[in-house]
Amino acid sequence: MKIYVIAANTFREAFKDRLILGLLAAGILLILSSVVMAELAYVQRVKVISDVGLAVITLTGLIMAIFSGSNLFARELEQKRVCSILSKPVPRYQLVVGKYAGTVFSLTFNLVIMALFLIGLLYADSRTWEFDLLKAVALIEAELMVVAAVALLFSTFTTSILSVFYTLLILIAGHMIEDIKAYWQIKSLVGRIFTKLVYYVVPNLDNFNVKPEVVHNVPVPPAVLAHACLYGALYIVVIVAAAVWLFQYRDLD
């Protein structure tokens, strides 16, 4: 119950965050602008609108995830609200899990709004319901949850600015995993060890990218979706557990 209360408060605070509201408004406007881009393209309008819309949802959601996760404890620590919360019978692990759950609820809510707007826009333009887009949206959600967990991890032991920076590095590396794997063949032993460490520690975010297949009507097997979701869930459990452990021993004075 305490986790639920903390999550609900975090969810409510997200709606007071001008950055999140601004990003949501910007995302909707950019999705709407995809209609103009479709007018200028020489390919099918539905594919252009879908492609641009999913790209906007992904980018907007990632920015939300990075900044929301990185700021989870910054304000509370600055205003000493964490000490006030923990002075009550609230274990630290419940605070961390509750904060993360509230952030996920907020990201999911904003993602659903943008996804429904995109599907509605496609229906208004082509009179067809493009519900296959929900497959891509579901994996976008999984990616956002992973990125938010990484941002949460960094926020437990560093400042919000550094947390944003470190999470961006992980995000970039996560989309370059296959390129990183290619460096295993370099001669330097230290280099090989480092690249293998990065490969096995950094999440492979390309697992969550089925946007090209969905846009071009290529079937996405259920096994692919299940594997990506299971991979994301396992990674989130490990990262949140690490965040709980780090926050457990953090000096809040």
Side-chain angles (χ1 to χ4, degrees):
M1 182 60 70
K2 294 175 183 176
I3 292 177
Y4 170 78
V5 172
I6 294 170
N9 288 334
T10 303
F11 181 74
R12 283 194 293 268
E13 288 175 1
F15 284 94
K16 301 177 183 179
D17 193 326
R18 295 180 181 179
L19 174 62
I20 301 301
L21 294 176
L23 286 170
L24 178 61
I28 291 175
L29 289 176
L30 287 173
I31 292 172
L32 187 60
S33 71
S34 64
V35 177
V36 178
M37 298 181 189
E39 292 287 349
L40 303 176
Y42 292 98
V43 294
Q44 296 182 18
R45 291 174 57 87
V46 171
K47 289 183 178 180
V48 173
I49 297 173
S50 300
D51 194 19
V52 174
L54 289 175
V56 169
I57 290 173
T58 303
L59 179 60
T60 305
L62 286 173
I63 297 174
M64 288 181 180
I66 291 172
F67 282 94
S68 296
S70 299
N71 290 318
L72 278 177
F73 295 105
R75 295 175 184 173
E76 282 79 0
L77 288 172
E78 290 175 0
Q79 301 174 6
K80 303 297 182 182
R81 287 192 293 179
V82 168
C83 297
S84 176
I85 295 173
L86 295 177
S87 64
K88 303 172 183 178
V90 179
R92 291 195 181 193
Y93 81 89
Q94 291 189 359
L95 179 61
V96 174
V97 174
K99 286 284 186 182
Y100 176 70
T103 300
V104 169
F105 292 155
S106 173
L107 292 173
T108 303
F109 182 81
N110 291 320
L111 185 69
V112 168
I113 289 178
M114 290 188 286
L116 291 178
F117 184 82
L118 175 59
I119 291 174
L121 182 63
L122 285 167
Y123 179 78
D125 186 81
S126 62
R127 295 301 173 184
T128 57
W129 292 107
E130 299 293 333
F131 287 120
D132 279 348
L133 294 181
L134 295 178
K135 297 178 182 178
V137 171
L139 293 193
I140 292 172
E141 166 73 3
E143 181 178 0
L144 299 187
M145 291 174 65
V146 170
V147 172
V150 172
L152 167 73
L153 175 66
F154 289 126
S155 71
T156 57
F157 65 87
T158 188
T159 64
S160 58
I161 295 177
L162 287 177
S163 180
V164 169
F165 177 71
Y166 294 148
T167 307
L168 278 173
L169 291 180
I170 296 296
L171 176 63
I172 295 171
H175 283 287
M176 296 177 62
I177 285 296
E178 295 306 319
D179 295 325
I180 292 173
K181 187 177 181 179
Y183 283 95
W184 287 8
Q185 306 302 321
I186 60 179
K187 295 181 179 179
S188 171
L189 176 61
V190 175
R192 289 200 302 272
I193 294 174
F194 176 75
T195 52
K196 287 187 177 183
L197 180 64
V198 171
Y199 182 82
Y200 287 114
V201 172
V202 172
N204 186 349
L205 299 180
D206 282 339
N207 284 334
F208 307 110
N209 184 18
V210 295
K211 293 187 288 291
E213 290 83 353
V214 170
V215 169
H216 295 285
N217 298 318
V218 177
V220 180
V224 172
L225 300 175
H227 173 268
C229 292
L230 179 60
Y231 174 84
L234 291 174
Y235 197 90
I236 289 168
V237 169
V238 172
I239 293 300
V240 173
V244 169
W245 183 80
L246 287 171
F247 191 69
Q248 193 72 29
Y249 295 98
R250 177 169 180 174
D251 186 4
L252 301 178
D253 295 330

